[in-house]
């Protein structure tokens, strides 16, 4: 069992930056760790993922070049640096974990992840 806790959300103007974090209750080495987001009335969307302990990452086209994921293995923490934020990035951001490795064709399917955090809100104003 893994407990995930997100932190660092908030409000920012368009073009600004935010960093949010996800801390796991225990080691998630070799886990597929991912960030999803969900705006009101929309389906949960895969944003970015990483195979924890490696430099393997996948991201959605909508955030490429703007969002970067990193890790602190000693703290069991995954960080999401979001730059050049847009109003359409506004959503609840969720951290997710799966003990299986990330695959390019399936990392963004939210049904694949058994472990979820409670979410942190990101709001971008125009």
């Amino acid at each position: 069992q893994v407990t995930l806790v997100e932190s660092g959300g908030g409000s920012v103007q368009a073009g600004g930056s935010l960093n949010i974090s996800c801390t796991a209750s225990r080691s998630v080495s070799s886990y597929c760790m991912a960030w999803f987001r969900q705006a009101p009335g929309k389906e949960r969307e895969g944003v970015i993922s990483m195979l924890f302990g490696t430099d393997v990452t996948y991201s959605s086209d909508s955030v490429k070049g703007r969002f970067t994921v990193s890790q602190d293995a000693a703290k069991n923490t995954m960080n999401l640096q979001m730059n050049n934020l847009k109003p359409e990035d506004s959503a609840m951001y969720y951290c997710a974990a799966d003990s299986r490795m990330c695959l390019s064709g399936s990392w963004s399917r939210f049904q694949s992840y058994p472990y979820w955090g409670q979410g942190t809100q990101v709001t971008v104003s125009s």
Side-chain angles (χ1 to χ4, degrees):
Q1 187 75 12
V2 178
T3 300
L4 304 172
V5 178
E6 299 97 337
S7 60
S11 298
V12 66
Q13 289 191 325
S17 299
L18 276 176
N19 187 291
I20 57 177
S21 297
C22 171
T23 300
S25 58
R26 61 172 181 82
S27 174
V28 286
S29 179
S30 298
Y31 274 52
C32 183
M33 301 292 293
W35 287 101
F36 285 77
R37 65 187 181 187
Q38 189 166 20
K42 294 190 176 181
E43 193 171 277
R44 193 164 294 195
E45 171 195 18
V47 176
I48 200 165
S49 70
M50 71 183 314
L51 182 57
F52 206 83
T54 76
D55 59 0
V56 176
T57 64
Y58 300 103
S59 61
S60 68
D61 289 343
S62 62
V63 305
K64 278 180 180 174
R66 301 188 298 122
F67 290 13
T68 304
V69 66
S70 63
Q71 60 189 288
D72 185 338
K75 297 180 179 180
N76 300 325
T77 296
M78 174 177 66
N79 301 300
L80 180 64
Q81 177 65 39
M82 303 180 286
N83 298 326
N84 190 21
L85 282 159
K86 304 175 181 180
E88 52 263 42
D89 294 318
S90 296
M92 186 71 79
Y93 282 70
Y94 297 92
C95 175
D98 182 3
S99 60
R100 297 167 295 180
M101 65 185 296
C102 302
L103 297 175
S104 61
S106 62
W107 71 267
S108 61
R109 296 175 192 161
F110 67 86
Q111 300 93 334
S112 300
Y113 295 82
Y115 305 113
W116 290 87
Q118 81 289 351
T120 186
Q121 180 68 38
V122 171
T123 302
V124 185
S125 58
S126 58

